[in-house]
Amino acid sequence: GPPGEAERSVLLERYQIHYPFLLYVGTIRRQKNIPRLVEAFAVLRGDLEQDPLYKDLRLIIIGDEITRHPAVRRTVIQTRMQPYVRFLGFVPFETLRTFYAAAAAFVFPSLYEGFGLPPLEAMASGTPVVTSNISSLPEVVGNAAVLVKPDNVFDIAKGIREALTDSALRAALIQRGYQQAARFSWEATARQVLDVYHEAAGGLRNQA
């Protein structure tokens, strides 16, 4: 099953995470729309600066090395979000599961997806998902996610804000998320998730 509480807090301590966070997992290629995600996060932090639960919200991005993506780095600097956005590069699969389970919401505003697995992984961990209303994503997530227009920074920010602060919606998303994730065969999904993940870490593996 998912990591237990004690295990989780040890791990979060190791990464020095003592704040609520949004999570993105995957590659940082152009179609993944990360600069807009960062801009939406900046808008959202402004909206939530008085919120008792989320005033210190952060964004954690797990996947490629950020150094290869100047556009993303530029956006982080332009929005003055350097203190609040963390790029972790590759993390081990078990660690990744802890991140999924500990996130306040999983954010995946991709512009194109063959078959979006990270949202299902998040749902299986009991984490609300905010994703794009285009490509294969609506079909994959069914009625279990907040769908946003991926080309609209304010729409992304609004969708995330609702998933965080509307407690009835949040409870419904978590409940439906478990059901949606269960509809996909875990065997197949886990294998594909690992493939996607190894592809994201491809640089590392191919050098070995």
Side-chain angles (χ1 to χ4, degrees):
E5 269 314 307
E7 211 181 323
R8 189 193 295 187
S9 55
V10 166
L11 192 102
L12 294 176
E13 197 42 59
R14 184 184 317 150
Y15 283 88
Q16 301 199 310
I17 293 169
H18 31 74
Y19 39 73
F21 63 92
L22 303 174
L23 178 66
Y24 169 87
V25 174
T27 57
I28 308 183
R29 286 192 219 119
R30 189 180 298 143
Q31 79 257 27
K32 300 298 188 176
N33 210 22
I34 307 299
R36 277 203 196 96
L37 174 56
V38 170
E39 288 171 11
F41 171 66
V43 169
L44 185 67
R45 265 196 67 98
D47 288 348
L48 296 174
E49 64 199 353
Q50 305 301 319
D51 189 282
L53 272 183
Y54 296 113
K55 56 176 186 279
D56 195 24
L57 188 69
R58 309 289 175 101
L59 171 61
I60 294 180
I61 293 176
I62 297 180
D64 305 3
E65 267 316 310
I66 179 59
T67 47
R68 297 209 302 270
H69 303 277
V72 176
R73 252 213 325 263
R74 251 197 326 272
T75 308
V76 173
I77 291 164
Q78 281 162 355
T79 55
R80 303 209 169 100
M81 287 291 114
Q82 299 100 306
Y84 314 114
V85 181
R86 279 182 74 179
F87 292 88
L88 290 183
F90 181 78
V91 302
F93 194 59
E94 282 308 306
T95 304
L96 184 61
R97 292 177 60 193
T98 299
F99 275 104
Y100 272 118
F106 184 76
V107 289
F108 201 76
S110 180
L111 295 168
Y112 169 77
E113 234 14 75
F115 182 79
L117 284 164
L120 287 174
E121 220 15 40
M123 287 176 181
S125 308
T127 297
V129 169
V130 180
T131 193
S132 304
N133 65 356
I134 57 167
S135 196
S136 70
L137 288 158
E139 186 189 341
V140 171
V141 300
N143 69 346
V146 175
L147 295 177
V148 296
K149 301 189 194 89
D151 56 358
N152 184 318
V153 167
F154 295 97
D155 200 53
I156 299 169
K158 177 169 154 284
I160 300 171
R161 189 173 69 234
E162 285 168 6
L164 293 177
T165 59
D166 177 337
S167 50
L169 173 64
R170 201 175 162 78
L173 289 172
I174 292 170
Q175 195 45 52
R176 290 184 208 147
Y178 281 129
Q179 291 160 356
Q180 184 69 6
R183 289 181 44 209
F184 291 85
S185 133
W186 266 114
E187 211 39 32
T189 306
R191 239 200 323 274
Q192 285 170 281
V193 165
L194 282 169
D195 290 348
V196 166
Y197 203 57
H198 284 144
E199 180 200 347
L204 297 172
R205 264 211 337 200
N206 300 341
Q207 287 156 15

